[in-house]
Amino acid sequence: MRPGARVAPMTEHHADEVLAIYQAGIDEGEATFETLAPTWSAFDASRLPDHRFVALEEGTGNVLGWVAASSVSSRCAYAGVVEHSVYVGAGARGRGIGRALLDALFASTEAAGIWTIQSGVFPENTGSLALHRAAGFRDIGIRERIGCHHGRWRDVLLIERRSRVVGV
Ligand SMILES: CC(C)(COP(=O)(O)OP(=O)(O)OC[C@H]1O[C@@H](n2cnc3c(N)ncnc32)[C@H](O)[C@@H]1OP(=O)(O)O)[C@@H](O)C(=O)NCCC(=O)NCCS
């Protein structure tokens, strides 16, 4: 990440900015099937507390981007598998913030014994795919017309990063 920003744990203090960046990313139309950002209480309840981070602008403390992860299953075999989201505000992209947020997530999840991080990405979201592939995610495969988005059935590319240090 270029100078001028730092990564910190996400707290309730960041809620409004996190949700505003989320909604702006949603509104761009290539990030997610969601159409409305959740309330903070819904966001807070569904994301793992130890695996959520913000990038903050030095000086102002403004939130530039965030990453968070959720459990994918209550089954014991999948206890170390999570699904993540990463969003960077449009004005802060191309500065290494997305990558720094992913690196923070890799460190926190591996320290907690989590072995796989997965996500579903629209194939049209070439920026996100480039970020994730460069960070060590691999393509699993395309889920065809898996969901309907603004009246259009869309494919999702499932990607994952398997830890090389946990559960090897
Ligand atoms: C995808 C997203 C998180 C990338 O964040 P970012 O801070 O701009 O990414 P970084 O600057 O850390 O990029 C790291 C690397 O990813 C790749 N990359 C990121 N954005 C890219 C783009 N638009 N086109 C091509 N490559 C891109 C590059 O390899 C880049 O390295 P480089 O700058 O040395 O070439 C951001 O564009 C975003 O929030 N988009 C909207 C929300 C979204 O789609 N989230 C993902 C949902 S799956």
Side-chain angles (χ1 to χ4, degrees), residues 59-135:
T60 66
N62 290 339
V63 176
L64 302 173
W66 58 269
V67 67
S70 309
S71 295
V72 300
S73 170
S74 56
R75 292 178 63 194
C76 192
Y78 297 130
V81 182
V82 298
E83 180 155 4
H84 82 292
S85 306
V86 58
Y87 284 74
V88 174
R93 293 182 192 159
R95 292 167 48 184
I97 289 170
R99 179 55 193 262
L101 289 164
L102 288 181
D103 287 343
L105 182 67
F106 300 160
S108 74
T109 51
E110 288 185 338
I114 288 167
W115 55 83
T116 290
I117 303 172
Q118 70 179 41
S119 192
V121 182
F122 289 135
E124 296 86 355
N125 194 347
T126 51
S128 177
L129 288 174
L131 166 69
H132 286 94
R133 287 170 178 152

